[in-house]
Amino acid sequence: MESLKGTIVETIFRNNENGYTVALLESENELITLTGVFGTDVAGEDIEVFGKRVKHPKYGEQFQVDIYNTILPTGLKQIENYLSSGLIKGIGIFTAKKIVEAFKEDTFDIIQNNPLKLTEIEGIGEKKADMIAKSFAEQADIKEIMMFLQSHNISTNYSVRIYKEYGKNTIAVIKENPYRLSEDIYGIGFKLADKIAFSLGVEKDSPYRISSGVKYVLSEYAAKGHTYVPYGLLVNSSANLLETSAENTEDEIRNMAFTDKIHIETINSETVVYYLPYHTAEVNVCKNLINLAGMDFNISEEEVLEYLSSVEDGTISLTKMQKEAIVQSVLNGVTVITGGPGTGKTTIILSIIKIFEIMNKKVLLCAPTGRAAKRITESTGREAKTIHRMLEYAYGEDDSNLTFNKNENSPLDCHAVIVDEMSMVDILLMNNLLKALKRGTRLIMVGDVDQLPSVGAGNVLSDIIKSSTIKTIRLDMIFRQSAGSMIVQNAHAINKGTMPLLNKKDSDFYFMRENNVYDIVELIVDLYKERLPAKYGLVPSKDIQVLSPMKKGDAGVIELNRRIQAAVNPPSNLKKEKIFGKYILRVGDKVMQVKNNYQAEWKMTDNNSVTGEGIYNGDIGVILFIDETEQELHVLFDDEKEVVYSFSQLDELILAYATTVHKSQGSEFPVIIMPMVWGPPMLLTRNLFYTAITRAKQLVVLVGKEKYMEEMIENNKINKRFSALDYRLSLCHAGRVI
């Protein structure tokens, strides 16, 4: 029987009735999936497991657990964890272990009062010992907090994040209400906060606990795109999570509504519950759209057509529908332009800009992501910004609450705002954008409503179109410059529910048939590393992106990244690496930023005097080097911007040889490769497939079974999002109170 020791970094699945669990264990040497029966959710805990390795036909190597023991941190283990947390410069995991083995309970005293004794440890000289002592002194106020957190079985990585959020007030905050952790700390969910609360003696039916559980359920639905939850569904979901009665849950829901933490109302004869920020945003978006749309600009269609004729230069032949989109954008206060690839949306945007320039009107261009903003800048020759940058994002006094300097009190100075990739805009961002538009500003929203909706809550573009209250132009004719591309033709075919044309000679759209999942992944790795670069002269890390519908499974993002990394950037004595969460991060790896970090500082590699702030969700870069002494990792984004991450920030990065289709939104890549394999029906949908192939500019290669492609195209069941912007807009348009 084999044994493993390590930390549970994620619970992938847990059956609360019988305890069957699938989890990821991170040990010193590997990251492996565990399966077995566990009495409690062991996420974040240090454990020792006994069992055997097995090969699952679909999910690969796993460790089947027969027996397990939770390893409670001893005093020495807590000291070791603190020293290796990344807070003390000069000490990594292995150095921390050596120091504690040498000095045991006297470790802190040695570092603080006699640091020269550290030179007895191999690899520590006088200079490094002095660095450790100084860093230890600087972090003196953290030590007690870190030890307190570890005594309640909170992992080192989470402990660092918690301290960064609450500072010197950490212990007081957690003792008062440990459930704040699930709301304030990225990566800590309700279940982990609940375990901490239990260790602090919080009662099962505590109002704090029930309130936090209800907010957790609301936030989980928001993470799936919903702005509200039907009342009955919320009560049942919360009661099941908390293992308490529906009556207790309903009592707390009523109390939360009374204290304005949530909002309850009736929509289409159904009682629903909003977490307050989403209700406020939805109502405000509705009111502001109606106000902007009601503006009369005192200009005729004939005048606009005259302006349009003066900007046409003979090289572009606009279709009737394109001209209609341009004219309506100038005539109306709010306009939606939607269409698939190759329908001329970029040409329309450029024509609108030129007309406004002739009219001496100032236009601002923006998009939800940095990559989308960069694309529209390149295609129009005009500067485009992310919506956040345009609104001048800022932070409150505690450096945590994101706000915008541009708002109703300080609106944007312009006559028109054009938003590209509008399908990605969620309800909260839309609310902040509209607050910054003064009455009389034209708003032109351009996007593809058939793509995946926003990652954040809301169904903004779709709801606006569905309400029939805002002028909308649908583009359905492929512009002739794109008509020769099978990517464009097949995208439109898929969107209409018909099979794409495959493997046409000299095409840009190929299907490679493989039946076995192992062979599919092998071929994808070979295409990425050898075949496509050799045939087309591509640089894999820059030109090729592997997309998968799912994170897990043999053809999921996690496994694809592991396999591609092993092929193109294997372990080497010349390359440092760092194990973090699901990934081994190695110098030379392609990585992606997975959360907006508006305060991340960067410098230009060709001119260190040029600096800035902000790295965004979806930005892709390459690891330049890893500094174990300084506990830092350096990443180069866009071949020019260097960003330094402390080891405690590595939860912001993932490997990016492969990424989910959702993460690819707003981006374009020269080449995409996509596996066609089995997956959950909720992921294998037509609009996900459509979104994936429209990310490619030059080449699409699909690998796997045609039957799964057919299933995706047939599966047009777009998961319903609970949102009511269309309902509110319809009421408002009819003159009724929302």
Side-chain angles (χ1 to χ4, degrees), residues 232-253:
L233 182 58
L234 177 64
V235 171
N236 291 335
S237 298
S238 301
N240 289 338
L241 170 75
L242 297 164
E243 297 179 342
T244 189
S245 67
E247 290 77 13
N248 283 344
T249 305
E250 289 187 273
D251 286 346
E252 188 55 35
I253 288 174

Side-chain angles (χ1 to χ4, degrees), residues 90-103 115-129 132 629:
I91 301 182
I93 295 172
F94 299 110
T95 304
K97 186 180 290 291
K98 289 179 184 177
I99 292 172
V100 174
E101 284 176 354
F103 303 118
L116 277 178
K117 281 187 71 66
L118 293 174
T119 59
E120 297 174 10
I121 306 297
E122 183 183 356
I124 300 180
E126 289 187 16
K127 187 176 179 181
K128 190 171 183 179
I132 292 170
T629 300

Side-chain angles (χ1 to χ4, degrees), residues 126-140:
E126 289 187 16
K127 187 176 179 181
K128 190 171 183 179
D130 184 58
M131 178 202 298
I132 292 170
K134 286 180 179 177
S135 181
F136 184 82
E138 289 170 2
Q139 308 293 346

Side-chain angles (χ1 to χ4, degrees), residues 298-541:
N298 195 27
I299 186 171
S300 69
E301 184 173 339
E302 290 73 21
E303 289 176 276
V304 180
L305 286 170
E306 281 186 34
Y307 287 129
L308 180 56
S309 64
S310 69
V311 302
E312 289 185 271
D313 57 12
T315 61
I316 298 174
S317 178
L318 296 169
T319 66
K320 182 179 178 180
M321 193 58 71
Q322 285 177 310
K323 289 182 179 180
E324 174 72 4
I326 295 164
V327 169
Q328 294 302 325
S329 297
V330 179
L331 291 177
N332 290 283
V334 183
T335 311
V336 171
I337 302 168
T338 184
T343 53
K345 296 190 295 294
T346 302
T347 302
I348 290 170
I349 291 172
L350 185 54
S351 299
I352 293 169
I353 293 169
K354 288 180 177 179
I355 289 175
F356 282 134
E357 287 173 346
I358 293 173
M359 295 171 64
N360 292 318
K361 303 292 186 184
K362 183 178 178 181
V363 182
L364 296 180
L365 274 175
C366 63
T369 68
R371 294 175 76 87
K374 186 176 181 180
R375 252 196 6 258
I376 198 68
T377 296
E378 292 168 350
S379 60
T380 64
R382 274 71 168 177
E383 182 187 20
K385 297 180 178 179
T386 63
I387 298 174
H388 286 84
R389 275 191 62 209
M390 184 181 72
L391 297 179
E392 298 178 7
Y393 61 83
Y395 284 83
E397 292 181 4
D398 61 354
D399 285 339
S400 60
N401 296 319
L402 179 67
T403 59
F404 295 96
N405 288 328
K406 291 300 177 185
N407 50 45
E408 59 267 52
N409 299 317
S410 178
L412 291 165
D413 179 22
C414 63
H415 299 96
V417 171
I418 301 176
V419 185
D420 196 21
E421 293 286 0
M422 184 63 202
S423 62
M424 297 178 65
V425 178
D426 62 40
I427 195 69
L428 296 181
L429 185 56
M430 188 64 178
N431 182 38
N432 282 300
L433 172 62
L434 291 174
K435 284 197 292 186
L437 302 186
K438 58 193 174 191
R439 186 167 168 79
T441 302
R442 291 174 175 87
L443 175 64
I444 299 142
M445 296 173 280
V446 184
D448 187 347
V449 74
D450 295 315
Q451 287 188 16
L452 291 170
S454 60
V455 175
N459 211 11
V460 178
L461 181 60
S462 178
D463 277 359
I464 290 173
I465 293 172
K466 196 169 19 172
S467 73
S468 300
T469 61
I470 301 299
K471 187 66 180 181
T472 299
I473 294 89
R474 292 178 179 269
L475 307 170
D476 54 12
M477 185 181 297
I478 301 175
F479 209 51
R480 67 166 178 254
Q481 285 94 328
S482 301
S485 167
M486 291 310 302
I487 296 174
V488 172
Q489 290 187 44
N490 284 338
H492 285 271
I494 289 165
N495 201 29
K496 292 174 182 177
T498 58
M499 286 290 289
L501 184 62
L502 304 175
N503 300 340
K504 184 179 176 183
K505 187 178 180 182
D506 298 322
S507 175
D508 54 8
F509 197 104
Y510 291 96
F511 195 103
M512 304 184 73
R513 294 170 181 84
E514 289 287 353
N515 291 321
N516 181 279
V517 177
Y518 178 82
D519 292 334
I520 290 169
V521 174
E522 284 287 298
L523 179 52
I524 288 173
V525 173
D526 187 39
L527 286 165
Y528 186 95
K529 182 184 179 184
E530 303 287 352
R531 293 170 64 168
L532 292 179
K535 183 171 182 178
Y536 296 99
L538 303 171
V539 178
S541 61

Side-chain angles (χ1 to χ4, degrees), residues 80-106:
E80 183 184 319
N81 288 344
Y82 172 64
L83 292 180
S84 63
S85 66
L87 294 169
I88 309 299
K89 289 184 178 181
I91 301 182
I93 295 172
F94 299 110
T95 304
K97 186 180 290 291
K98 289 179 184 177
I99 292 172
V100 174
E101 284 176 354
F103 303 118
K104 297 188 169 49
E105 288 85 356
D106 296 328

Side-chain angles (χ1 to χ4, degrees), residues 681-694:
M682 63 180 293
L683 290 179
L684 299 189
T685 63
R686 183 188 300 174
N687 69 335
L688 182 138
F689 188 28
Y690 171 76
T691 300
I693 65 172
T694 56

